[in-house]
């Protein structure tokens, strides 16, 4: 009974508005590639879901050594069953796994790109054509070739998979269907999955307009499928709402096990469903007093027709004029009795005894309390009976309305005495459409994938809520969007997390910390010019680069402004989410990797210094060398185009070198300094296997990380070097790391043999973020970490070790190191610019 | 209608029930949850103060709130003292002042000897005459003659028990009458329960020179029910149930023997609703309550139909058709919703059809009254059923004045409980539905255990 409400109501009128012009740039994107549709038609809102493939430009790197196959690269392997899903098999925009691009020319072979090599890069997975064991050595230490880049970069088209969701008022349904029909180019789809109370009402219209057969899906099944999907795939999907507290929205970290939970869907009536597994759920009860009661009874009492207006009335009313309170019955005695006089003894109790006129506002408010309290009470009774403490609320009664979230939360807290938590969902309105879509795509088994919310293409929570931004309602504001990108392979927890259910990647919650929020938003605003400039510069051959960069600027600027006013729009606001949003926006306008050339140059320069650095390290005594290696890691980390302070120096003085960076470093004792403890540890037995998360390209990875890796290898420790799957700032990508490793192996026998013997493994993280979320890592990496028994985790760089994971507790030893390249942050941590964090932690026994 | 009791005033003084710790900022739901009684302590209390009906409670109040008895004279204390030794002086009243209705029970002694009659003061006589010779008092007071319990023996006296009710808003007039009839000269003790016992305490004292003995509402309720059930209804059974409640032809009201009452879920539907789990005479807890009660039904009916009395509201409801107002499962799914085993006749959304303008224009006041009644009743049934499940109790007794002359509600409760529990739960009713609190107050006066 959830979603069925209001169909056929006189709410927003059923007369279809055909005159509206849709802003096609923003909504219904990629419609020409749409492959599969689903629709959820509620009482007043329609939610359309479609799956499309998106073509993106990606920067690819490849070795100059065309003839020879990189020996450490795994064979292209069999196509994963994954690639058969949701035809045509797409790739994910933010997960630019490096592909074996040898011989590939753009798009015509794009499907071959999908044949993703699984597993790690190591000599243990023998290359196809085992004859190729010779280490390529294309550019021996030739000092003449100073400006010779170490590898090629080519821009290619890539196809990625995306789920689009558009929410609009039912009034627009005909206009929207016409629009879809006109733009739908070559879909092979014959069927559209439909759910919601309005599905049958618009069935004929849909079939006539789209020439698709309407396949009706069960409302509740769709709702629960959708709910499971968002809880699993969207971080910070669920939140508690506490009016008046700071922040009002408190987002929940995704618990590894979402089941069992209670879903209370408040449509025209109330359905209470216990969800036990992905496919098993049970309707355990319901109530007829729901959103339809508020709306219907409210309309009778106040002569106000629209649901939103009723809520608005309610938010201004005084229910105490209508309700009989405890203090009305007990008089003043409630105080001395310790009773809360404000408790409602009888809803509408006063309207029975007085001949007075009651104001619309007061009656609406009383009605809202009556219904919210009643639902909250029943939800608590059911939760108690089934021993559940998490209750998710959904349905049009809740949808984006702070007024109802507030009263429901209050009621749940009251009746459960805080034992039950009322949770709401950011994408609650889309659950039915998501579920219907998944139902239609069942044979493709979409649940085996991980998905990711695309911040660039999603409107964010309450984007069109008149309660929050009454002035800001442009025409397209009535359309709410959600886009989700499909990731190639599932993301999972790092098995070494001490407690996955309590792990929070981000160090500072900017929704919580207003001061920090203000600083970082300004910081990102100020850095925007530079990012735009770099984006344009990265595509010198492109005619429209400047235009696209300008669009990027506008989009990201708008996102930042939205976040200033609604920090909760995309879940918990963090430095990571700001960075990720920027990456998503850059991708949106086809700037897949603005730093590709910078990285190429940096890598080239650093490679030339590698042997010199190794020689000088080898000349040191053991103890001196350990410190030098750590300093090298830290100094390398100064090279970070992401931090404004550094990019300023680098832009003005390109000669700024490794040695210069070392001089910039803070002298010991460092801001956080457990180096002595680390040194002591190194005197003990070697670690079995170290997992290292690399940061920047160039000096950082080549002169900082690799020498450190080399030392670990020499100690007998295996090393897994994990790099980003896709580009983010100047971070080294997995594909770049392959080439870099290849070049270093050519120079250095330790690295060479380790690669060949599978003691050094290059892996991808599954991420394209400058930060690191250890609860969303590539499954292959997680499997390997478990297999190899990793007992040391090294996290390097500000993004991964300070903005995120600073407080991450692991089950094994960990090393978090970074140079603070932001004076504000340094100050906050009690240090100065270029302060050093060296945090060595050993888990408690 | 008795007020849906929310707190447990007396108990608060024992520090047992700090349940309503809700914020003052936000008005709150209908009622705080389960107060676990502490029977041992209760017994200890009554043992230590074994005399007056209200002993434990009154002592408790006095201990903690010395100021509240500031107006009490030493004479009144002596009265209380004297009650310890012998039965109280006439008149014997029990009063339950709810949010909407005041319930008054009056014991009319029929065994008055000539000698006694001679000694009887004039004011006492006039009260007796006034109450027993009328069936209506003023424009709003009513004696429920059909409920009168005849030839009852109370404290060794034989007589009839009368049941009188009037609206709470006429309480000032009642107090004024007490003053006019010079009640205070009778040195009587008014045992009163319900929230109004607190609200009007000062008025009783200052206007009527009468001191109220305030009693815990839930104690009185349970006492009253158990007592009234034990004495029966003039030879008939007090407790009853409905067979075939959904079938107007076959529906039968049948007596129920409440010989083994425990455990029992007691649902008191006054203006609001209180739900109690009763395990023995002295061991019970308030499970929960809801603000959607009789007051809500009547209040909404007044707003929706312009009716002015509860009787009128019920009369309209009896002629209405709620399916024009409510959206049923079949309105949405065309029939049963098999996925969830929901029958097509079940209400999916109360007032759900009223979202549509056309349907709003097509309904009658009678339909609206009926829908209001069905909505409130179903909801109470639903909450009661959940409480019964949570408490593992399968006898549910519904009392309170909402059920007065309200066969529609009773039959619906009976049917809903039976249907949704698949026959596990039984809905029981009691003839004196709204008067138990007042009876309990009278029993406290007479210190009948």
């Amino acid at each position: 009974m959830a979603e069925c409400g209001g169909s056929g109501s006189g709410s927003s009128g059923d007369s279809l508005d055909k005159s509206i012009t849709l802003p096609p740039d923003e909504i219904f994107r990629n419609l020409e590639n749409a492959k599969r549709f689903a629709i959820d038609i509620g009482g007043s809102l329609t939610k359309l879901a479609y799956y499309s493939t998106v073509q993106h430009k990606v920067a690819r790197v490849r070795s100059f050594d065309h003839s020879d196959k990189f020996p450490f690269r795994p064979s292209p392997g069999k196509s994963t069953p994954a690639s058969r899903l949701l035809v045509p098999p797409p790739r994910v925009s933010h997960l630019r796994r490096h592909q074996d691009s040898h011989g590939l020319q753009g798009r015509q072979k794009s499907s071959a790109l999908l044949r993703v090599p699984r597993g790690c890069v190591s000599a243990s997975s023998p290359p196809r054509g085992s004859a190729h064991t010779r280490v390529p050595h294309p550019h021996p230490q030739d000092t003449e070739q100073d400006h010779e880049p170490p590898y090629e970069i080519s821009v290619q088209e890539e196809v990625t998979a995306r789920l689009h969701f558009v929410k609009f008022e039912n009034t627009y349904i005909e206009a929207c269907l016409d629009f879809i029909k006109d733009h739908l180019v070559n879909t092979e789809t014959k069927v559209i999955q439909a759910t919601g109370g309005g599905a049958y009402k618009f069935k004929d219209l849909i079939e006539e307009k789209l020439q698709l057969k309407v396949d009706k899906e069960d409302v509740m099944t769709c709702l629960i499928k959708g709910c499971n999907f968002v809880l699993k795939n969207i971080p910070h999907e669920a939140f508690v709402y506490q009016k008046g507290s700071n922040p009002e929205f408190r987002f929940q970290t995704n618990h590894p096990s979402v089941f069992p939970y209670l879903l209370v869907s408040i449509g025209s009536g109330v359905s209470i469903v216990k969800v036990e597994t992905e496919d098993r759920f049970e309707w355990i009860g319901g109530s007829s007093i729901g959103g339809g009661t508020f709306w219907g009874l409210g309309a009778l009492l106040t002569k106000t027709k629209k649901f939103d207006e009723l809520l608005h009335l309610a938010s201004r009313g005084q229910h105490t004029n209508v309700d009989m309170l405890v203090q009305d019955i007990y008089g003043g005695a409630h105080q001395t009795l310790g009773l809360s006089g404000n408790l409602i003894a009888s809803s509408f109790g006063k309207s029975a005894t007085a001949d007075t006129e009651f104001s619309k506002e007061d009656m609406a408010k009383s009605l809202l309390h009556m219904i919210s309290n009643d639902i909250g009470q029943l939800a608590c009774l059911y939760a108690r009976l089934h021993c559940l403490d998490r209750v998710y609320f959904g349905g049009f009664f809740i949808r984006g309305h702070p007024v109802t979230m507030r009263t429901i939360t209050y009621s749940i807290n009251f009746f459960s005495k805080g034992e039950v938590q009322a949770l709401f969902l950011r994408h609650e309105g889309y659950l039915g459409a998501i579920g219907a879509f998944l139902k239609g795509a069942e044979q493709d088994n979409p649940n085996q994938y991980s998905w990711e919310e695309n911040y660039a293409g999603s409107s964010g929570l309450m984007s069109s809520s008149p309660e929050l931004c009454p002035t800001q309602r442009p025409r397209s504001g009535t359309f709410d969007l959600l886009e989700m990108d499909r990731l190639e392979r599932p993301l999972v927890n790092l098995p070494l997390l001490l407690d996955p259910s309590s792990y929070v990647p981000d160090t500072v919650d900017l929704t919580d910390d207003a001061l920090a929020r203000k600083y970082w938003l300004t910081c990102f605003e100020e850095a925007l010019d530079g990012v735009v400039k770099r984006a344009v510069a990265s595509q010198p051959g492109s005619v429209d680069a400047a235009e696209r960069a300008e669009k990027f600027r506008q989009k990201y600027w708008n996102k930042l402004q939205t976040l200033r006013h609604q920090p909760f729009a995309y879940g918990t606001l963090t430095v990571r989410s700001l960075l990720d949003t920027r990456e998503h926006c850059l991708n949106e306008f086809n700037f897949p990797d603005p730093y590709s050339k910078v990285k190429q140059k940096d890598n080239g320069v650093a490679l030339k210094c590698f042997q010199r650095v190794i020689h000088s390290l080898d000349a040191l005594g053991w103890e001196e060398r350990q410190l030098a290696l750590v300093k090298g890691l830290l100094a390398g980390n100064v090279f970070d185009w992401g931090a404004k302070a550094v990019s300023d120096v680098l832009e003005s003085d390109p000669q700024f070198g490794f040695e210069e960076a070392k001089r910039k470093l803070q002298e010991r004792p460092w801001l956080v300094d457990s180096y002595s403890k680390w040194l002591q540890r190194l005197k003990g037995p070697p670690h079995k296997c170290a997992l290292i998360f690399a940061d920047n390209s160039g000096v950082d990875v080549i002169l900082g990380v690799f020498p450190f890796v080399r030392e670990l290898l020499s100690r007998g420790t295996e090393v897994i070097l994990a790099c980003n799957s896709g580009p983010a700032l100047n971070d080294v990508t997995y594909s770049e790391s392959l080439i870099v490793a290849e070049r270093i192996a050519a120079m250095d026998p330790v690295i060479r043999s380790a690669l060949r013997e599978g003691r050094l493994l290059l892996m991808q993280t599954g991420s394209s973020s400058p930060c690191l979320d250890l609860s969303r890592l590539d499954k292959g990496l997680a499997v390997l970490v478990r297999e190899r028994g990793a007992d040391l985790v090294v996290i390097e760089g500000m993004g991964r070790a300070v903005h995120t994971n600073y407080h991450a507790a692991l089950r094994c030893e960990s090393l978090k190191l970074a140079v603070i390249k932001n004076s504000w942050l340094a100050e906050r941590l009690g240090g100065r610019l270029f302060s050093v964090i060296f945090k060595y932690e050993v888990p408690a026994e | 209608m008795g007020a849906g009791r929310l707190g447990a005033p007396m108990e608060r003084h024992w520090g047992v029930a700090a349940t309503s710790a809700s914020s003052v900022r936000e008005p709150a739901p209908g009622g705080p949850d389960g107060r676990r009684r502490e029977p041992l302590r209760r017994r200890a209390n009554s043992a230590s103060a074994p005399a007056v009906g209200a002993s434990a409670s009154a002592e408790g109040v006095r201990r903690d709130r010395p100021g509240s008895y500031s107006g009490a004279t030493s004479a009144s204390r002596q009265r209380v003292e004297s009650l310890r030794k012998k039965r109280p002086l006439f008149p014997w009243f029990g009063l339950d002042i709810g949010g909407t209705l005041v319930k008054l029970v009056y014991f009319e002694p029929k065994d008055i000897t000539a000698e006694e009659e001679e000694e009887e003061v004039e004011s006492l006589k006039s009260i007796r005459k006034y109450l027993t010779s009328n069936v209506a008092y003023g424009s709003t007071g009513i004696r429920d003659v059909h409920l009168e319990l005849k030839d009852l023996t109370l404290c060794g006296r034989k007589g009839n028990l009368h049941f009188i009710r009037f609206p709470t808003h006429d309480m000032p007039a009642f107090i004024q009458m007490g003053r006019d009839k010079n009640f205070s000269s009778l040195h009587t003790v008014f045992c009163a329960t319900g929230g109004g016992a607190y609200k009007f305490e000062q008025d009783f004292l200052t206007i009527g020179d009468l001191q109220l003995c305030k009693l815990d509402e839930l104690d009185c309720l349970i006492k009253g029910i158990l007592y009234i059930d034990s004495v029966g209804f003039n030879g008939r059974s007090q407790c009853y149930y409905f067979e075939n409640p959904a079938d107007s032809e076959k529906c039968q009201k049948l007596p129920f023997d409440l010989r083994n009452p425990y455990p029992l879920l007691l649902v008191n539907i006054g203006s609001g609703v209180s739900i109690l789990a009763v395990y023995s005479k002295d061991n019970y807890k308030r499970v929960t309550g809801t603000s959607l009660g009789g007051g809500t039904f009547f209040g909404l009916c007044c707003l929706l139909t312009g009716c002015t009395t509860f009787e009128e509201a019920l009369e309209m409801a009896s002629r209405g058709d709620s399916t024009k107002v409510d959206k049923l499962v079949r309105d949405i799914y065309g029939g049963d919703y098999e996925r969830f085993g929901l029958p097509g006749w079940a209400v999916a959304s109360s007032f759900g059809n009223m979202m549509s303008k056309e349907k709003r224009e097509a309904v009658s006041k009678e339909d609206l009254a009926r829908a209001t009644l069905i909505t409130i009743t179903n909801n109470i049934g639903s909450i009661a059923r959940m409480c019964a499940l949570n408490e593992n109790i399968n006898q549910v007794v519904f009392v309170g004045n909402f059920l007065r002359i309200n066969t529609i509600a009773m039959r619906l409760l009976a049917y809903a409980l039976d249907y949704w529990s698949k026959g596990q739960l039984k809905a029981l009713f009691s003839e004196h539905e709204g008067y138990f609190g007042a009876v309990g107050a009278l029993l406290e006066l007479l210190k009948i255990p």
Side-chain angles (χ1 to χ4, degrees), chain B residues 136-207:
Chain B
Y137 315 93
S139 59
T140 54
I142 284 162
R143 182 154 63 91
D144 282 314
V145 184
H146 67 287
L147 292 180
E148 185 178 327
L149 293 178
K150 300 216 163 76
D151 298 328
L152 212 59
T153 306
L154 266 177
C155 277
R157 301 298 303 256
K158 258 190 169 355
N160 296 341
L161 198 55
H162 297 276
F163 297 86
I164 298 161
R165 60 187 150 89
F166 59 89
T168 304
H169 60 74
D170 285 338
M171 204 58 207
F174 179 79
I175 296 171
Q176 190 58 46
M177 183 189 78
R179 181 196 172 105
D180 297 345
K181 295 200 183 284
N182 205 11
F183 265 38
S184 60
S185 68
L186 296 169
H187 302 287
T188 190
V189 170
F190 257 98
C191 276
T193 187
Y198 292 87
K199 187 176 178 179
F200 297 103
E201 181 186 19
Q202 200 55 36
D203 290 350
F204 268 98
L205 200 61
T206 52
I207 300 169

Side-chain angles (χ1 to χ4, degrees), chain A residues 8 30 149 195 267 307 364 409 488 497 530 800 839:
Chain A
N30 300 305
T195 187
F307 181 73
T409 299
E488 192 74 23
L497 282 177
R800 291 176 183 77
K839 201 176 182 190

